[in-house]
Amino acid sequence: MRRYLLEKAIALGIVLIACSSCDVLGLDNFTPEVAVSAVLIADEFLPPIQLALTGPIGEAYDIDERGISDAVVRLQRVLNDGTIIEYPYEFSNQGMGIYRVVNSEDSIRVQARGTYRFEATVPGFPGTVTAETIVPGAFSIVEPLPDTVYYQVGDSPF
């Protein structure tokens, strides 16, 4: 039995040494990607959109350094009949890769159950970054919350 455990330990040691000597997961070949952040909320004004580059694991992330300021950003509303309403965005010069709608934000509200399509062309990256979403409408609570909630009733393993 001891010999069996010793052989397993040696085999495990060899595997660990082999894995630690090379980049098995490909983490040394980090390629930055474009990250998009925006939240569309029904009946609110069109939001700012933030574009930034991702960073490698273990490196401090500074949004001022990673923000993208030279992209072409636009948001479209797709109507049920296929008609597209275009909302062009421009870099806001506030740093951090923040883009704001060109039109007056006070006049454009996000429509509940509306379909919105996002597109960004970023210099140095192939293709276009795209996303599409349907903004949820109002919701209601189907079942009210109970008056009392019991926490950790019974025997606890701790």
Side-chain angles (χ1 to χ4, degrees), residues 151-156:
Y151 179 70
Q152 289 187 346
V153 175
D155 295 336
S156 173

Side-chain angles (χ1 to χ4, degrees), residues 46-148:
L46 283 176
I49 298 173
Q50 185 174 37
L51 292 179
L53 295 175
T54 59
I57 294 174
E59 183 178 302
Y61 190 84
D62 184 2
I63 190 65
D64 289 325
E65 292 177 7
R66 301 222 180 252
I68 299 171
S69 62
D70 55 352
V72 176
V73 175
R74 63 186 195 183
L75 187 66
Q76 301 171 335
R77 175 151 185 246
V78 183
L79 303 178
N80 292 338
D81 64 359
T83 305
I84 294 177
I85 300 172
E86 187 88 23
Y87 302 120
Y89 275 68
E90 64 184 10
F91 183 64
S92 68
N93 292 327
Q94 294 176 334
M96 301 185 299
I98 296 177
Y99 293 77
R100 297 195 182 278
V101 68
V102 174
N103 303 16
S104 169
E105 289 183 37
D106 295 333
S107 63
I108 304 171
R109 290 192 179 261
V110 175
Q111 298 296 312
R113 294 180 295 286
T115 301
Y116 289 85
R117 183 180 301 144
F118 167 81
E119 293 182 2
T121 305
V122 181
F125 285 85
T128 303
V129 178
T130 61
E132 188 169 296
T133 189
I134 298 173
V135 177
F139 62 91
S140 61
I141 298 173
V142 176
E143 185 176 316
L145 297 173
D147 292 336
T148 307

